[in-house]
């Protein structure tokens, strides 16, 4: 169980909204304005999965890297590696993304997602 005040929690929640909700509204709340503009331009969860993240899944399990990011209580930004294991059309896929988060008003917000 992750503490809701750490960047790993915000990153996992962000992707959980993209992969398990019907709309992107939950992910908007966990995004910086820059990321919100990007997500809004793709309109739907499936479009974001395909074009922004380049990872589509029918079902997915998301886990943070086993390495700790260190003490984040005073940090203003963080980079978190997340591991994805899921199924698409009966095939198993594993992938990883690095999520850059910024602390805005004492809340962690996703600013960018990359392969490295």
């Amino acid at each position: 169980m992750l503490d809701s005040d750490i960047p790993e929690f915000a990153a996992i929640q962000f992707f959980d909204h993209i992969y398990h909700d019907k709309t992107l509204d939950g992910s908007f709340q966990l995004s910086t304005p820059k990321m919100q503009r990007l997500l809004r331009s793709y309109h739907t969860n499936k479009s974001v999965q395909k074009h922004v993240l380049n990872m589509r899944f029918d079902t997915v399990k998301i886990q943070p890297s086993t390495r700790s990011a260190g003490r984040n209580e005073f940090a203003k930004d963080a980079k978190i590696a997340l591991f994805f294991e899921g199924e698409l059309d009966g095939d198993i896929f594993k992938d990883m993304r690095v999520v850059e988060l910024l602390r805005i008003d004492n809340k962690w917000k996703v600013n960018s997602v990359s392969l490295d």
Side-chain angles (χ1 to χ4, degrees):
M1 197 78 163
L2 294 175
D3 182 359
S4 63
D5 292 333
I6 63 173
E8 289 90 343
F9 180 82
I12 290 172
Q13 288 297 107
F14 172 80
F15 284 101
D16 190 54
H17 288 297
I18 290 172
Y19 284 103
H20 299 115
D21 290 357
K22 292 188 183 300
T23 67
L24 293 168
D25 295 340
S27 60
F28 294 153
Q29 295 173 10
L30 295 164
S31 301
T32 63
K34 171 188 158 186
M35 180 58 76
Q36 285 179 11
R37 282 190 301 276
L38 178 64
L39 296 177
R40 286 184 201 282
S41 69
Y42 286 94
H43 305 287
T44 67
N45 294 43
K46 288 196 188 255
S47 290
V48 168
Q49 292 171 27
K50 183 177 181 182
H51 300 289
V52 177
L53 304 175
N54 196 24
M55 291 189 306
R56 291 222 24 240
F57 295 104
D58 293 327
T59 61
V60 66
K61 182 178 178 187
I62 308 163
Q63 293 186 330
S65 169
T66 56
R67 294 188 318 254
S68 174
R71 288 188 52 169
N72 291 312
E73 67 186 89
F74 302 111
K76 293 182 180 165
D77 58 27
K79 282 192 176 185
I80 307 298
L82 294 180
F83 297 103
F84 297 80
E85 183 174 350
E87 188 175 316
L88 178 64
D89 298 327
D91 295 323
I92 302 291
F93 292 94
K94 296 180 183 182
D95 214 331
M96 183 186 96
R97 291 294 183 272
V98 176
V99 183
E100 179 191 343
L101 297 103
L102 301 176
R103 188 184 291 239
I104 300 173
D105 298 329
N106 285 328
K107 302 272 188 209
W108 287 104
K109 306 282 184 166
V110 173
N111 190 51
S112 68
V113 179
S114 65
L115 291 170
D116 49 70

